[in-house]
Every structure is written in C-alpha cells, then in structure tokens.
C-alpha cells in the first residue's frame, strides 16, 4: 500500500514540475510540417535524450507580436511559446529569441 502511494505521489510530482516549466523554457524548432512544429529544449546536455514536443499553430497564433506571421518560423529557430489556456499543445503566441 505504501509503495503504491509513493509511486503515485512521485508520478504526480513529476507531472506538476514538468507543467510548471513547460512555457518558460526557450525551445528550438527541430522540424516543421505545415502548421505543426516539433520542438526540443534549446539547452541540451549531449549525454541526455529528449522527446520532441508537438505544437500546433493556428490562424490566430501571434508570432513576434504580429498575426498571420507564421512563415517566419524555421527549423533551427530558438523560440519561446505561450500556450492557449485550454490546450497546452496549441501555441497562442511565439517570440523569437
């Protein structure tokens, strides 16, 4: 019983910590296909492996303070993303670093 509780607490804590840092990190665009970006942390340890995160762009995504400015996003760009309140996979605004 205690083991199950500790495992559940550890998993919950991990999810909470990852959610807190999700929007605050600089990320790099690893791939782009249409209105979908695959991003990774911009500061990576060569000894670590990273999972690419999928981010959806919409017609209302603001890039560098301008609407309909999605064409300025390219593979290799370092960006900061603010996500919509309702879905943490949809970009509300993006700023180039």
């Amino acid at each position: 019983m205690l083991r199950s509780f500790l495992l559940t607490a550890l998993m919950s804590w991990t999810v909470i910590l990852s959610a807190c840092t999700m929007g605050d990190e600089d990320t790099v665009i690893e791939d782009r296909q249409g209105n979908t970006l695959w991003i990774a942390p911009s500061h990576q340890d060569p000894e670590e492996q990273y999972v690419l995160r999928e981010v959806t762009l919409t017609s209302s995504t603001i890039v560098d303070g301008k609407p309909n400015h999605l064409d300025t996003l390219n593979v290799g760009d370092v960006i900061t993303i603010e996500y919509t309140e309702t879905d943490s996979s949809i970009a509300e605004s993006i700023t180039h670093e």
Side-chain angles (χ1 to χ4, degrees), residues 7-64:
L7 181 59
T8 303
L10 178 62
M11 290 172 50
S12 298
W13 188 249
T14 302
V15 169
I16 291 169
L17 287 178
S18 64
C20 290
T21 60
M22 191 177 345
D24 299 328
E25 295 180 1
D26 291 342
T27 57
V28 64
I29 300 173
E30 295 288 338
D31 192 14
R32 178 174 181 187
Q33 294 180 9
N35 285 345
T36 303
L37 301 178
W38 282 269
I39 60 171
S42 62
H43 302 290
Q44 298 181 8
D45 180 351
E47 300 293 321
E48 297 289 325
Q49 292 183 350
Y50 297 90
V51 175
L52 296 180
R53 180 176 160 91
E54 185 176 331
V55 177
T56 303
L57 307 173
T58 67
S59 59
S60 61
T61 301
I62 307 255
V63 179
D64 294 329

Side-chain angles (χ1 to χ4, degrees), residues 60-75:
S60 61
T61 301
I62 307 255
V63 179
D64 294 329
K66 299 175 186 173
N68 298 320
H69 204 55
L70 301 178
D71 292 338
T72 62
L73 299 172
N74 299 299
V75 172

